[in-house]
Structure formats: C-alpha cells, structure tokens
Amino acid sequence: MLVWLTIIGVWGIDRYIKFLVQTNLIPGETLKVIPKVFHLTYVLNPGAAFGLMAGQTWIFIVTAVLVIGGIIYGQFRIPRKEKITRLALGIIGGGALGNLYDRLVIGRVVDYLDFQIWSYVFNFADSMIVIGVGLLMLAIYRDEKKATSKSEFDVSDK
C-alpha cells in the first residue's frame, strides 16, 4: 500500500504544481522568488534532464512505462518490512508518472524550478526521481552492509 500511496501522492503534488505554473505563467516567463538565487521559470522541455535528446519523446515514454511497470511488479515481490525500499519505489514511480503524463498530454515536460547556480530548469517530478534513487541506493547499501556483517560473524561456514 505504501508504494501506491506514495505514487499517487507524488503524482498529485506534481500535477498541482504544474497546473499552477501553467495557469499563472506563460512559457519563458520568469518570476524572481529570491533574486540571483531561485526563480520560477516556465519551460516546456522536449527532452530529458537538462534538455538532452530533445524530440526523442517516444524513448522517454517507453522508458517511463518500463520503470512504472517494473515498480508495479517489484512492489509485489518486496517484503512489506522493507519500508525505505517501498517508499523509494513509490517516489520514483510518482516522478516518472508525472513526467510521463506531461509527455502524453502536451508532448513536453513542464519545468519551472530555476536555481541560478546553473542554467538548467527542472520540476518536482525530476526531484522526486533523484531523491527516490538516492533512497533506493541507501537501502541497498544498508542491506549489503547488514549481509556483510552477518557473514563475517557466521562461524558455521568456517
């Protein structure tokens, strides 16, 4: 249930923020929130992160469908006690679904988070994918560390 609720929650927040951006700004418009630090800039991104592979929408659609399909499959196989792993999968799934929705409905992804330290604009869904992958890596590291420490102290194999 955690995976499903997280997917729905992340997707809902993403849709709401994108709706606000689309109804209050025009593409290319910038709203200075903290001048020279953080702006809201409405960009329609035809590519992946940082505008890479612009115009290759079908690749991103297929990738998102595979990721979401893998998460749906995986959530039935991951024990319920693996809360961090399940949360990470839900966060990744919600982010992937948010950007997939944009690609299917408008053909581009709505980006708006514009930190002035670099020239790239991204969105909440992108952030959730990165955070989810980070959590998943943390969970895998933790499990590997647990397995390693158990095997070091297991004298029955020696």
Side-chain angles (χ1 to χ4, degrees), residues 3 7 59-75 88-97 100 129 133 136:
V3 174
I7 288 173
I59 292 172
F60 306 118
I61 290 172
V62 169
T63 302
V65 168
L66 289 173
V67 166
I68 293 166
I71 289 168
I72 291 169
Y73 173 76
Q75 74 94 28
L89 291 179
I91 291 171
I92 294 166
L97 186 60
L100 175 63
I129 292 168
V133 169
L136 189 57

Coordinates of all heavy atoms in Angstrom, one line a residue, residues 3 7 59-75 88-97 100 129 133 136:
V3 N 3.7 1.9 -1.5 CA 4.1 2.2 -2.9 C 3.0 2.9 -3.6 O 3.3 4.0 -4.2 CB 4.6 0.9 -3.7 CG1 4.9 1.3 -5.1 CG2 5.8 0.3 -3.0
I7 N 3.1 6.8 -4.9 CA 3.0 7.2 -6.3 C 1.9 8.2 -6.5 O 2.1 9.2 -7.1 CB 2.7 5.9 -7.1 CG1 4.0 5.0 -7.2 CG2 2.2 6.3 -8.5 CD1 3.7 3.7 -7.9
I59 N 11.2 7.7 -26.7 CA 12.2 6.9 -25.9 C 11.8 7.2 -24.4 O 11.9 6.2 -23.6 CB 13.6 7.4 -26.1 CG1 14.1 7.0 -27.5 CG2 14.6 6.9 -25.1 CD1 15.4 7.5 -28.0
F60 N 11.5 8.4 -24.0 CA 11.1 8.7 -22.7 C 9.8 8.1 -22.2 O 9.6 7.7 -21.1 CB 11.2 10.2 -22.4 CG 12.5 10.8 -22.9 CD1 12.5 11.8 -23.9 CD2 13.7 10.4 -22.3 CE1 13.7 12.3 -24.3 CE2 14.9 10.9 -22.7 CZ 14.9 11.9 -23.7
I61 N 8.9 8.0 -23.2 CA 7.6 7.4 -22.9 C 7.8 5.9 -22.6 O 7.3 5.3 -21.6 CB 6.6 7.6 -24.0 CG1 6.2 9.1 -24.1 CG2 5.4 6.7 -23.9 CD1 5.3 9.5 -25.3
V62 N 8.6 5.2 -23.5 CA 8.8 3.8 -23.3 C 9.6 3.5 -22.0 O 9.3 2.6 -21.2 CB 9.6 3.2 -24.5 CG1 10.2 1.8 -24.2 CG2 8.8 3.2 -25.8
T63 N 10.6 4.4 -21.7 CA 11.4 4.2 -20.5 C 10.5 4.4 -19.3 O 10.6 3.6 -18.3 CB 12.5 5.2 -20.5 OG1 13.4 5.0 -21.6 CG2 13.4 5.1 -19.2
A64 N 9.7 5.4 -19.3 CA 8.8 5.6 -18.1 C 7.8 4.5 -17.9 O 7.6 4.1 -16.8 CB 8.0 7.0 -18.3
V65 N 7.2 4.0 -19.0 CA 6.3 2.8 -18.9 C 7.0 1.6 -18.3 O 6.5 0.9 -17.5 CB 5.7 2.5 -20.3 CG1 4.9 1.2 -20.3 CG2 4.7 3.7 -20.7
L66 N 8.3 1.4 -18.8 CA 9.0 0.2 -18.3 C 9.4 0.4 -16.8 O 9.3 -0.5 -16.0 CB 10.3 0.1 -19.1 CG 10.2 -0.5 -20.5 CD1 11.5 -0.4 -21.2 CD2 9.6 -1.9 -20.5
V67 N 9.8 1.6 -16.4 CA 10.1 1.9 -15.0 C 8.8 1.7 -14.1 O 8.9 1.0 -13.1 CB 10.6 3.4 -14.8 CG1 10.6 3.8 -13.4 CG2 12.0 3.4 -15.4
I68 N 7.7 2.3 -14.5 CA 6.5 2.1 -13.8 C 6.0 0.7 -13.7 O 5.6 0.2 -12.7 CB 5.4 3.1 -14.3 CG1 5.8 4.5 -14.1 CG2 4.0 2.8 -13.7 CD1 4.9 5.5 -14.9
G69 N 6.2 0.0 -14.9 CA 5.8 -1.4 -14.9 C 6.7 -2.2 -13.9 O 6.3 -3.1 -13.2
G70 N 8.0 -1.9 -13.9 CA 8.9 -2.6 -13.0 C 8.6 -2.3 -11.6 O 8.7 -3.2 -10.7
I71 N 8.2 -1.1 -11.3 CA 7.9 -0.8 -9.9 C 6.6 -1.5 -9.5 O 6.5 -2.0 -8.4 CB 7.7 0.8 -9.8 CG1 9.1 1.4 -9.8 CG2 7.0 1.1 -8.5 CD1 9.1 2.9 -10.0
I72 N 5.6 -1.6 -10.3 CA 4.4 -2.3 -10.0 C 4.7 -3.8 -9.8 O 4.2 -4.4 -8.8 CB 3.3 -2.1 -11.1 CG1 2.8 -0.7 -11.1 CG2 2.2 -3.1 -11.0 CD1 2.0 -0.3 -12.3
Y73 N 5.5 -4.4 -10.7 CA 5.9 -5.8 -10.5 C 6.7 -5.9 -9.2 O 6.5 -6.8 -8.4 CB 6.8 -6.2 -11.7 CG 7.4 -7.6 -11.5 CD1 6.6 -8.7 -11.7 CD2 8.7 -7.7 -11.2 CE1 7.1 -10.0 -11.5 CE2 9.3 -9.0 -11.0 CZ 8.5 -10.1 -11.2 OH 9.0 -11.4 -11.0
G74 N 7.7 -5.1 -9.0 CA 8.6 -5.2 -7.8 C 7.9 -5.0 -6.5 O 8.2 -5.6 -5.5
Q75 N 6.9 -4.1 -6.4 CA 6.2 -3.9 -5.2 C 5.5 -5.1 -4.6 O 5.3 -5.2 -3.5 CB 5.3 -2.7 -5.3 CG 4.0 -2.8 -6.0 CD 2.9 -3.2 -5.1 OE1 2.8 -2.9 -3.9 NE2 1.9 -3.9 -5.7
A88 N 11.0 4.4 -1.6 CA 11.8 4.9 -2.7 C 11.2 4.5 -4.1 O 11.1 5.4 -5.0 CB 13.2 4.2 -2.6
L89 N 10.6 3.3 -4.2 CA 10.0 2.9 -5.4 C 8.8 3.8 -5.7 O 8.5 4.2 -6.9 CB 9.6 1.4 -5.4 CG 10.8 0.5 -5.4 CD1 10.3 -1.0 -5.3 CD2 11.6 0.6 -6.7
G90 N 8.0 4.1 -4.7 CA 6.8 4.9 -4.8 C 7.2 6.3 -5.3 O 6.5 6.9 -6.2
I91 N 8.3 6.9 -4.7 CA 8.7 8.2 -5.1 C 9.2 8.2 -6.5 O 8.8 9.1 -7.3 CB 9.9 8.7 -4.1 CG1 9.3 8.9 -2.7 CG2 10.5 9.9 -4.6 CD1 10.3 9.2 -1.6
I92 N 10.0 7.2 -6.9 CA 10.4 7.2 -8.3 C 9.3 7.0 -9.3 O 9.2 7.7 -10.3 CB 11.4 6.0 -8.5 CG1 12.7 6.2 -7.7 CG2 11.8 5.8 -10.0 CD1 13.6 5.0 -7.5
G93 N 8.3 6.1 -8.9 CA 7.2 5.9 -9.7 C 6.3 7.1 -9.9 O 5.8 7.4 -11.0
G94 N 6.1 7.9 -8.8 CA 5.3 9.1 -8.9 C 6.0 10.1 -9.8 O 5.3 10.8 -10.6
G95 N 7.3 10.3 -9.6 CA 8.0 11.2 -10.5 C 8.0 10.8 -12.0 O 7.7 11.6 -12.8
A96 N 8.2 9.5 -12.2 CA 8.1 9.0 -13.6 C 6.7 9.2 -14.2 O 6.6 9.6 -15.3 CB 8.5 7.5 -13.6
L97 N 5.7 9.0 -13.4 CA 4.3 9.1 -13.8 C 4.0 10.6 -14.1 O 3.3 10.9 -15.1 CB 3.3 8.6 -12.8 CG 1.9 8.6 -13.2 CD1 1.7 7.7 -14.4 CD2 1.0 8.0 -12.0
L100 N 5.7 11.4 -17.4 CA 5.0 10.7 -18.5 C 3.7 11.3 -18.8 O 3.4 11.5 -20.0 CB 4.8 9.2 -18.0 CG 4.0 8.3 -19.0 CD1 4.7 8.2 -20.3 CD2 3.7 7.0 -18.3
I129 N 12.4 11.8 -8.5 CA 13.1 10.7 -9.1 C 14.5 10.6 -8.5 O 15.0 9.5 -8.1 CB 13.1 10.8 -10.7 CG1 11.7 10.6 -11.2 CG2 14.1 9.7 -11.2 CD1 11.6 10.9 -12.7
V133 N 15.8 7.6 -6.1 CA 17.0 6.8 -6.5 C 18.0 6.8 -5.3 O 18.6 5.8 -5.0 CB 17.6 7.2 -7.8 CG1 19.0 6.6 -8.1 CG2 16.7 6.9 -9.0
L136 N 16.8 4.6 -2.6 CA 17.0 3.2 -3.1 C 18.4 2.8 -2.9 O 18.7 1.7 -2.4 CB 16.5 3.0 -4.5 CG 16.4 1.6 -5.0 CD1 15.5 0.7 -4.2 CD2 15.9 1.6 -6.5

